[in-house]
Amino acid sequence: MTETYDPSRTAVLLVDPYNDFLSEGGKTSPRVEPVAKEVGLLDDLRSVVDSARETGVRMVFVPHRRWQPGDYETWGHPNRSQRNIQEGHQLARGSWGGEFHPDFQPWPGEDVAAEHWGSSGFANTDLDFQLKQHGITHVAVVGLLAETCVEATARFAMELGYHATLVRDATAALSPERMHAAHELTGPTYAHAIVTTAELVTAFKDVRP
Amino acid sequence: MTETYDPSRTAVLLVDPYNDFLSEGGKTSPRVEPVAKEVGLLDDLRSVVDSARETGVRMVFVPHRRWQPGDYETWGHPNRSQRNIQEGHQLARGSWGGEFHPDFQPWPGEDVAAEHWGSSGFANTDLDFQLKQHGITHVAVVGLLAETCVEATARFAMELGYHATLVRDATAALSPERMHAAHELTGPTYAHAIVTTAELVTAFKDVRP
Amino acid sequence: MTETYDPSRTAVLLVDPYNDFLSEGGKTSPRVEPVAKEVGLLDDLRSVVDSARETGVRMVFVPHRRWQPGDYETWGHPNRSQRNIQEGHQLARGSWGGEFHPDFQPWPGEDVAAEHWGSSGFANTDLDFQLKQHGITHVAVVGLLAETCVEATARFAMELGYHATLVRDATAALSPERMHAAHELTGPTYAHAIVTTAELVTAFKDVRP
Amino acid sequence: MTETYDPSRTAVLLVDPYNDFLSEGGKTSPRVEPVAKEVGLLDDLRSVVDSARETGVRMVFVPHRRWQPGDYETWGHPNRSQRNIQEGHQLARGSWGGEFHPDFQPWPGEDVAAEHWGSSGFANTDLDFQLKQHGITHVAVVGLLAETCVEATARFAMELGYHATLVRDATAALSPERMHAAHELTGPTYAHAIVTTAELVTAFKDVRP
């Protein structure tokens, strides 16, 4: 792994670190847990976030739309994921499940992008704009889920001109087969780098002045 | 004026109907008031909104970012308008000035776009996406200010492929000269139609089945 | 399959039907051929295109950037796919490989979007704009490759507010495993419908007045 | 004027330097000429371009769609400018008027963005993407016309997160009143800086290492 990350131009995009995905008792966490445990997701996310804050890499939170009454009901064509949320009220605004996991709270001065309706944190949000105001050219995309919002956000990052890094063990999918697809089948077609948490943390430290 | 507006494909974009712009005691309303009174802004906006709701034209609210502590402070290059808000706290979240005027409140099922940081209600928001989910192809842009957010939103509408209509007397500018520029100098270069409130209301009614 | 496609609002997005992918002697066609033969790609693409033209569904061609000297050379961070093209000159402008397959030529009045640099036919092109000028709300994405440009274009379609359909046998991937991932693992997370060519053709005919 | 321009992050966006606008005998040049002569447009554009090339500021050409047969004919709603081109064949592809003025030709390695259909050089093009691949955060927008494509491109630049500079005498409008509006009425509401050619050239030189 030969990528370098200038901290003044790099951001970690932490996608959807909600209790519903990450905490015991979350609505989707039982389906996330097998892969999350396998890779050590919570510890890895903590390492990435700590490392970013220590080295001056910008932390940006990229939240999915929190469900609220009325959402999707007038739409011409919500997709299956959106209909699931419409029925299951995952990530409900004002609920515990729709709050960020206690270990992944924005610090003052860190950015929180506008909420995304689909899978990509860039689509229909101010994420690209916020990154531009901070001179960011490189992003590492971590969080949930590997095959949906993380993949879509990283794909958009590349399409919008950013250098995009995936982190194999700082994400999780709803099945091992989907996790494999995200990092071995589709990831290599668009991402600039696919690294481990340990490799990313080392790379962040290497350029610290 | 020969435009027709199929109500199933048309939306009124009501831009920034905040107390700070429209109500006595608002932070910017003293500067808006001369042109607003001249054109009869409040009555015209009420006519447009009533007419849209009666004829089945979709109402969409397009709000500017409500200022909150921390906004703009880490940005590389806020522009003059953004620095003014940073200092003057116009449209402050949680304040009366940052609430919509009482006559211009969204009804259940009407859309409220994500807040915009610049002037265009489309830039970095879900406005285009929301319009697509409702099959909208034509928009009439009204509200505040004629030379900033209304113009920028209508320009983006055209650039994004919508049919864009300006309404001469359902908006106001910070000076008569700017109002003139918006409708006589720049508007004709990009807008598909520039009409009066009376003409728009008639056009909405004409296609009512 | 219960989707319906109003021909006045539907487009087929035919992605990258280049000789280099589809024709004997193309630079990438040896790697495409196994899956393409398995699904009967060429016949299926012909069926989709013929059916669209017969039923009044709009045909839109969505071409990848044709390589030309200088491409990618000054970029800060081309990704692996782009570096491969930089070295291998796939889809070279002015070459036979960079021409559309003879059976998939635009007819007069059909749209050809601007060329895309990445994988998504929407990113950095006029595709969304062209679709808007024709009132399109539903797209069926076919062509090459299932795991790269077809997937990325369909993902963007959904993110931009379109109803997005994948067609299992009117595309091909560089391996059976990637084909499986595109339609069984990632596709269902974002696409509104995943159908066969036969199902799509039937659906197009069913709404013919 | 206190702006500084790091050459490694700055680009000059030269909008529509076509013979039809800039050269004697061009289709629109008679209407451009009065203001162009008043400000000394050709000399100022030469100064800006020379200065950018000397100091390492990136040159990017931002061309309007060159008219070709069939353009606009199937569109649902071309605007007035587009209908004028449809009828008058300004900037026709393959014609002298649709070529860049001989003094404003791209050098090898300089970017030429995809052509824009509307007024903004960013809308439906790869301009944002190209700027990102070169680390650009600041743009100075010059060329034609002050009230249409230059204004729209600079507005989009700001909305997309760039620092946007207008140059008073390196552009022209179709009337003195429109020129005044562009720089005195609308420009100050969105642009980060409005300078003269002499000021810009000095600023470019000041940061030369």
Side-chain angles (χ1 to χ4, degrees):
Chain A
M1 130 117 196
T2 59
E3 301 294 334
T4 59
Y5 299 89
D6 176 345
S8 74
R9 297 208 180 189
T10 303
V12 166
L13 307 186
L14 177 49
V15 179
D16 297 343
Y18 287 115
N19 284 321
D20 264 347
F21 282 132
L22 285 175
S23 298
E24 200 178 323
K27 285 190 173 180
T28 310
S29 54
R31 298 181 64 203
V32 176
E33 199 179 29
V35 174
K37 278 205 168 161
E38 171 74 22
V39 298
L41 173 61
L42 282 172
D43 281 347
D44 290 342
L45 287 179
R46 287 184 197 105
S47 294
V48 170
V49 173
D50 288 352
S51 172
R53 286 170 174 164
E54 281 168 20
T55 58
V57 166
R58 190 156 191 86
M59 277 300 308
V60 181
F61 291 74
V62 179
H64 201 277
R65 170 75 177 189
R66 290 164 171 91
W67 176 84
Q68 61 186 56
D71 278 4
Y72 313 105
E73 287 177 12
T74 65
W75 286 18
H77 37 265
N79 70 4
R80 197 170 76 169
S81 302
Q82 289 155 343
R83 291 198 311 266
N84 284 343
I85 293 172
Q86 188 180 2
E87 292 160 15
H89 304 184
Q90 289 92 340
L91 315 177
R93 195 179 306 283
S95 79
W96 168 84
E99 292 172 7
F100 291 157
H101 182 285
D103 292 356
F104 306 111
Q105 299 288 329
W107 284 6
E110 292 180 346
D111 292 321
V112 181
E115 297 177 354
H116 52 274
W117 285 105
S119 297
S120 167
F122 285 97
N124 314 303
T125 77
D126 59 353
L127 179 52
D128 178 59
F129 180 83
Q130 297 269 12
L131 296 178
K132 288 229 198 67
Q133 283 288 354
H134 295 100
I136 302 301
T137 56
H138 286 55
V139 297
V141 188
V142 300
L144 288 306
L145 295 170
E147 75 273 42
T148 58
C149 295
V150 167
E151 173 159 348
T153 301
R155 279 180 179 272
F156 267 67
M158 180 279 287
E159 298 280 2
L160 297 182
Y162 294 93
H163 181 287
T165 295
L166 297 175
V167 187
R168 293 174 185 283
D169 47 3
T171 185
L174 292 189
S175 74
E177 193 187 14
R178 288 180 173 206
M179 192 76 164
H180 172 76
H183 297 139
E184 307 305 329
L185 302 179
T186 57
T189 68
Y190 65 88
H192 294 79
I194 306 180
V195 304
T196 63
T197 295
E199 289 171 325
L200 187 73
V201 166
T202 299
F204 281 179
K205 282 185 181 150
D206 280 354
V207 294
R208 191 165 40 172
Chain B
M1 131 114 195
T2 59
E3 301 295 335
T4 58
Y5 299 89
D6 175 346
S8 73
R9 298 207 179 190
T10 303
V12 166
L13 307 185
L14 177 49
V15 179
D16 298 344
Y18 287 115
N19 284 319
D20 264 348
F21 283 131
L22 285 176
S23 299
E24 201 179 322
K27 286 189 172 180
T28 310
S29 54
R31 299 180 64 203
V32 176
E33 198 178 29
V35 173
K37 278 204 169 162
E38 171 76 21
V39 298
L41 174 61
L42 283 172
D43 282 346
D44 290 342
L45 287 179
R46 287 183 197 106
S47 295
V48 170
V49 172
D50 288 352
S51 173
R53 285 171 175 163
E54 280 168 21
T55 58
V57 165
R58 190 156 191 87
M59 278 300 308
V60 181
F61 292 74
V62 180
H64 201 278
R65 170 76 177 188
R66 291 164 170 92
W67 176 85
Q68 61 187 55
D71 278 3
Y72 312 105
E73 287 177 12
T74 64
W75 286 18
H77 36 264
N79 71 3
R80 198 171 73 169
S81 302
Q82 291 155 343
R83 290 197 312 268
N84 284 344
I85 293 173
Q86 188 179 3
E87 291 160 16
H89 304 183
Q90 289 92 340
L91 315 178
R93 195 179 305 282
S95 79
W96 169 83
E99 293 173 6
F100 290 157
H101 183 285
D103 292 355
F104 306 112
Q105 299 287 328
W107 284 7
E110 291 180 347
D111 291 321
V112 182
E115 298 178 354
H116 52 273
W117 285 105
S119 298
S120 168
F122 285 97
N124 313 302
T125 76
D126 59 354
L127 179 53
D128 177 60
F129 179 84
Q130 297 269 11
L131 296 179
K132 287 230 199 68
Q133 283 287 355
H134 296 100
I136 302 301
T137 57
H138 287 56
V139 297
V141 189
V142 299
L144 289 307
L145 295 170
E147 76 273 40
T148 58
C149 295
V150 168
E151 173 160 347
T153 301
R155 280 181 179 271
F156 268 66
M158 180 279 288
E159 298 281 1
L160 297 183
Y162 294 94
H163 181 286
T165 295
L166 297 175
V167 187
R168 292 175 186 283
D169 47 4
T171 184
L174 293 188
S175 75
E177 194 187 13
R178 288 183 173 204
M179 192 75 165
H180 173 75
H183 297 140
E184 307 305 328
L185 302 179
T186 57
T189 69
Y190 66 88
H192 293 79
I194 307 181
V195 303
T196 63
T197 296
E199 289 171 325
L200 188 72
V201 166
T202 299
F204 281 179
K205 281 183 181 151
D206 280 354
V207 293
R208 191 164 39 171
Chain C
M1 132 115 198
T2 60
E3 302 295 334
T4 58
Y5 299 89
D6 176 346
S8 73
R9 299 207 178 191
T10 303
V12 166
L13 307 185
L14 176 49
V15 179
D16 296 343
Y18 287 114
N19 284 320
D20 264 348
F21 282 132
L22 285 175
S23 297
E24 200 178 324
K27 285 191 173 180
T28 310
S29 54
R31 299 182 63 204
V32 176
E33 197 179 28
V35 173
K37 279 205 168 161
E38 170 75 22
V39 299
L41 174 60
L42 282 173
D43 281 346
D44 291 341
L45 286 179
R46 287 182 197 108
S47 295
V48 170
V49 172
D50 287 352
S51 172
R53 286 171 174 163
E54 281 168 22
T55 59
V57 166
R58 192 157 189 85
M59 278 300 308
V60 181
F61 291 75
V62 180
H64 201 279
R65 170 76 176 188
R66 291 163 170 90
W67 176 85
Q68 61 187 57
D71 277 4
Y72 313 106
E73 286 177 12
T74 64
W75 286 18
H77 36 264
N79 71 3
R80 198 172 73 171
S81 302
Q82 291 155 343
R83 291 198 310 268
N84 284 344
I85 292 173
Q86 189 180 2
E87 291 160 15
H89 303 183
Q90 288 92 340
L91 315 177
R93 195 179 306 282
S95 79
W96 168 84
E99 292 173 7
F100 291 156
H101 182 285
D103 292 356
F104 306 112
Q105 298 287 328
W107 284 6
E110 293 180 344
D111 292 321
V112 181
E115 297 178 354
H116 52 273
W117 285 104
S119 297
S120 168
F122 285 96
N124 313 304
T125 77
D126 59 354
L127 179 53
D128 178 60
F129 180 84
Q130 297 269 13
L131 296 178
K132 287 230 199 66
Q133 284 287 354
H134 296 99
I136 302 301
T137 58
H138 287 55
V139 296
V141 188
V142 300
L144 288 306
L145 295 172
E147 76 273 41
T148 58
C149 295
V150 168
E151 173 159 349
T153 300
R155 281 180 178 273
F156 267 66
M158 181 279 289
E159 298 281 1
L160 297 183
Y162 294 94
H163 181 286
T165 295
L166 297 175
V167 187
R168 293 175 184 283
D169 47 4
T171 185
L174 293 189
S175 75
E177 193 187 14
R178 288 182 174 205
M179 192 75 164
H180 173 76
H183 297 140
E184 307 304 329
L185 302 180
T186 57
T189 69
Y190 66 88
H192 292 80
I194 307 180
V195 303
T196 62
T197 296
E199 289 171 324
L200 188 72
V201 166
T202 300
F204 280 0
K205 283 184 181 153
D206 280 354
V207 293
R208 191 164 40 171
Chain D
M1 130 115 197
T2 60
E3 302 294 335
T4 59
Y5 299 89
D6 176 346
S8 73
R9 298 207 179 190
T10 302
V12 167
L13 307 186
L14 177 49
V15 179
D16 297 343
Y18 287 114
N19 285 320
D20 264 346
F21 283 131
L22 285 175
S23 298
E24 201 179 323
K27 287 192 172 179
T28 310
S29 53
R31 300 182 62 204
V32 176
E33 198 178 29
V35 174
K37 279 204 167 161
E38 171 76 21
V39 299
L41 174 61
L42 282 172
D43 281 347
D44 290 342
L45 287 178
R46 288 185 197 103
S47 295
V48 170
V49 172
D50 288 351
S51 173
R53 286 172 173 162
E54 281 168 20
T55 59
V57 165
R58 189 156 192 86
M59 277 301 306
V60 182
F61 291 75
V62 179
H64 201 280
R65 170 75 177 189
R66 290 165 171 92
W67 176 84
Q68 62 186 57
D71 278 5
Y72 312 105
E73 287 177 11
T74 64
W75 286 19
H77 35 265
N79 70 4
R80 199 171 72 171
S81 302
Q82 290 155 343
R83 289 197 312 266
N84 284 344
I85 293 172
Q86 187 180 2
E87 292 159 16
H89 304 182
Q90 290 92 342
L91 315 177
R93 194 179 306 282
S95 78
W96 168 83
E99 292 174 6
F100 290 158
H101 182 284
D103 293 356
F104 306 112
Q105 298 288 329
W107 285 5
E110 293 180 346
D111 292 320
V112 181
E115 298 178 354
H116 51 275
W117 285 105
S119 297
S120 168
F122 285 98
N124 314 303
T125 76
D126 59 354
L127 178 53
D128 178 61
F129 179 84
Q130 298 269 11
L131 296 178
K132 288 230 197 68
Q133 284 287 354
H134 296 100
I136 302 302
T137 57
H138 286 55
V139 296
V141 188
V142 300
L144 288 306
L145 296 171
E147 76 273 40
T148 58
C149 295
V150 168
E151 172 159 349
T153 301
R155 280 181 179 272
F156 267 67
M158 181 280 288
E159 298 282 1
L160 298 183
Y162 294 93
H163 181 287
T165 294
L166 296 175
V167 187
R168 294 174 184 284
D169 47 4
T171 184
L174 293 189
S175 75
E177 193 187 15
R178 288 182 174 205
M179 192 75 164
H180 173 76
H183 297 139
E184 306 305 328
L185 302 179
T186 57
T189 69
Y190 66 88
H192 293 80
I194 306 180
V195 304
T196 62
T197 296
E199 289 171 325
L200 188 73
V201 166
T202 300
F204 281 180
K205 283 184 181 152
D206 279 354
V207 293
R208 191 165 39 171

